[in-house]
Amino acid sequence: MTTTATTQPQVAAGLRGVVVGDTRISYVDGERGQLMYRGIDIHDLARYATFEEVAYLLWFSALPSREHLQTFHADLARRRSLPDPILAILGEVPATATPMDVLRTAVSAIALFDPQAKETTPQSNLEKAQRLTAVLPTILAAFYRLSHDHDPVPPRSDLASAANFLYMLSGQEPDPQAARLLDVALVLHADHGMNASTFASIVTAATLADMYAAVTSAIATLKGPLHGGANEGVITNLLHIGSIDAVDAWVAEKLARHEKIMGFGHAVYKTHDPRAVELKRIAREAGERAGTTKWLEMTERMEQAVWEQRKLYANVDLYSACVYYTLGIPPEYFTPVFAMSRVTGWCAHLIEQYANNKLIRPAEHYVGPRDVRYVPLAERTNDIPIVETD
Ligand SMILES: CC(C)(COP(=O)(O)OP(=O)(O)OC[C@H]1O[C@@H](n2cnc3c(N)ncnc32)[C@H](O)[C@@H]1OP(=O)(O)O)[C@@H](O)C(=O)NCCC(=O)NCCS
């Protein structure tokens, strides 16, 4: 004889609308299509700020003076090198490994070489934030080169983060326009409220696990195609479709099959995603620089077709795919590039969390049977299914 739970608490599917705490880091207004970092509009930051300024803004809640920005650059630059054992691990990883998995593994492994890994004091967290932000591009570029039978290119301390990443990837210093295009993309991806990967990171940190553990959780979470993995899905789709003439029919078929189209829809925005607006602008610039706007035109066509057929807005991943592809970044590195930027937001949230911590422990609504009789193993000739009574 079993009984079934009868109480009906309110379940917020996907935790939509549940407020987990106060924050001073970023403000997302899904109705108005607004995003602000520390109160500053994302459109202004995308046009005028650099990625390093944004990292400083997120962590110190201040726009840096010229002198402080220079010191900050130097602090990041001197943390870019990888310990030799990490390079050795990257050399042993199968060349076919997914770069996001490699990134997650390497970040986890780096903790083993930091004697202060377990410390969660404000100073130690700031140092870890700098270290993580500095090494993510080095890990990715080193793995890219090793998996293509090339020696890793050591980081250069005279280049900013975006330029240094493109340099380590190709071995060629990028032109200032390419470097700035990636820099703007990094600015736009740095933080976005209580998104899934940030939430995963603070859940981990709230147990007082260290920042490496929390960022490892975040990377694992960003990987999924409903979150950061969507940008790679966008380019996979565009390459598969092949030409602008085939876009409308492809969209219609996907929607008829009730399949999700990567780069569209958002859990919070009910209007234009302001990051997509900026990314569309720089996608044009990136296309013109590269001498082809084919991918941009296909993306614009897809945006129009999805709007006409399903009334969904483009999200951050739609046009970022176009920007990265035109900059020559391999598709499987699109989501890792997102991580290279979002690590600054994760760290800002982690610093905020450690400063005012409370274990995160939500409840759930049990809907299964109760008081089921345990049948001893000796009495079981077959599996005994657990049957719901009503
Ligand atoms: C981001 C996302 C998970 C937000 O989801 P959400 O607000 O919880 O909305 P749901 O997934 O519940 O979708 C609501 C409805 O819109 C549809 N929908 C949402 N995004 C869609 C998409 N990209 N393509 C097709 N249909 C979509 C759903 O199928 C669902 O339709 P239904 O009511 O007929 O079942 C969702 O839009 C999505 O999966 N997008 C594609 C992945 C992506 O680009 N992720 C990056 C986000 S920045």
Side-chain angles (χ1 to χ4, degrees):
M1 170 70 195
T2 61
T3 56
T4 307
T6 49
T7 46
Q8 296 289 327
Q10 282 287 65
V11 176
L15 297 186
R16 295 294 193 283
V18 174
V19 178
V20 293
D22 292 336
T23 184
R24 292 185 161 74
I25 300 167
S26 61
Y27 172 70
V28 186
D29 185 330
E31 299 298 325
R32 293 199 182 95
Q34 283 185 324
L35 169 62
M36 296 172 195
Y37 298 163
R38 299 282 184 190
I40 302 179
D41 194 283
I42 195 68
H43 296 295
D44 290 336
L45 293 169
R47 282 186 164 76
Y48 309 117
T50 62
F51 173 62
E52 285 77 7
E53 263 181 285
V54 162
Y56 190 102
L57 174 68
L58 291 173
W59 298 342
F60 299 100
S61 194
L63 285 169
S65 67
R66 198 176 284 268
E67 190 194 334
H68 283 167
L69 186 58
Q70 220 170 2
T71 312
F72 187 65
H73 262 281
D75 285 344
L76 287 176
R78 73 187 159 82
R79 292 180 162 92
R80 281 181 181 153
S81 297
L82 295 174
D84 287 342
I86 300 292
L87 276 172
I89 292 171
L90 295 177
E92 291 297 319
V93 166
T96 51
T98 303
M100 271 307 265
D101 294 341
V102 175
L103 188 65
R104 186 197 63 227
T105 304
V107 165
S108 184
I110 277 176
L112 310 175
F113 299 91
D114 180 350
Q116 270 88 49
K118 291 188 179 66
E119 276 186 27
T120 57
T121 60
Q123 184 52 34
S124 148
N125 285 337
L126 265 172
E127 278 167 24
K128 289 192 184 78
Q130 292 191 344
R131 180 151 194 237
L132 284 161
T133 303
V135 294
L136 258 58
T138 319
I139 294 167
L140 293 168
F143 176 65
Y144 174 74
R145 293 190 64 88
L146 287 164
S147 62
H148 288 80
D149 292 327
H150 296 307
D151 287 335
V153 173
R156 263 177 53 184
S157 57
D158 58 321
L159 296 176
S161 301
N164 179 55
F165 173 65
L166 293 172
Y167 165 70
M168 290 189 296
L169 209 56
S170 67
Q172 310 283 323
E173 187 176 337
D175 61 76
Q177 192 185 15
R180 177 58 186 157
L181 287 165
L182 181 59
D183 190 49
V184 177
L186 296 182
V187 165
L188 291 166
H189 285 80
D191 196 48
H192 201 246
M194 195 42 63
N195 58 87
S197 55
T198 301
F199 184 56
S201 80
I202 67 156
V203 169
T204 305
T207 68
L208 295 185
D210 60 68
M211 214 150 164
Y212 292 106
V215 170
T216 304
S217 295
I219 295 170
T221 308
L222 185 71
K223 181 187 173 191
L226 297 188
H227 191 11
N231 56 12
E232 186 183 339
V234 170
I235 198 67
T236 306
N237 289 341
L238 291 175
L239 292 168
H240 168 79
I241 297 168
S243 76
I244 195 162
D245 301 338
V247 170
D248 284 39
W250 181 88
V251 167
E253 272 174 39
K254 282 286 256 192
L255 294 177
R257 289 198 300 267
H258 298 285
E259 286 176 17
K260 293 257 178 99
I261 301 180
M262 296 296 114
F264 291 92
H266 200 274
V268 179
Y269 291 120
K270 301 301 163 221
T271 179
H272 291 283
D273 178 336
R275 302 164 302 172
V277 173
E278 292 296 332
L279 284 159
K280 187 171 177 171
R281 173 178 67 80
I282 65 163
R284 175 158 301 283
E285 196 184 324
E288 283 164 1
R289 175 191 158 274
T292 175
T293 49
K294 172 183 172 175
W295 305 107
L296 171 69
E297 283 155 21
M298 282 182 73
T299 311
E300 284 178 328
R301 184 67 228 161
M302 189 184 277
E303 186 181 18
Q304 199 176 333
V306 171
W307 179 253
E308 282 165 7
Q309 298 180 37
R310 191 65 173 81
K311 296 283 177 279
L312 285 168
Y313 290 97
N315 62 44
V316 68
D317 293 307
L318 187 72
Y319 285 99
S320 63
C322 209
V323 173
Y324 299 153
Y325 194 67
T326 318
L327 281 174
I329 296 171
E332 63 278 20
Y333 284 78
F334 287 11
T335 313
V337 167
F338 188 157
M340 262 168 48
S341 165
R342 183 57 59 85
V343 68
T344 56
W346 294 331
C347 290
H349 282 272
L350 291 170
I351 290 165
E352 198 172 62
Q353 182 68 31
Y354 287 120
N356 185 22
N357 189 57
K358 171 118 179 126
L359 180 75
I360 298 174
R361 205 306 186 184
E364 61 184 348
H365 177 208
Y366 179 71
V367 295
R370 298 190 225 177
D371 305 325
V372 178
R373 188 177 85 84
Y374 173 78
V375 180
L377 186 56
E379 291 175 27
R380 278 179 247 153
T381 47
N382 294 308
D383 284 1
I384 310 276
I386 305 296
V387 182
E388 303 205 10
T389 49
D390 46 31

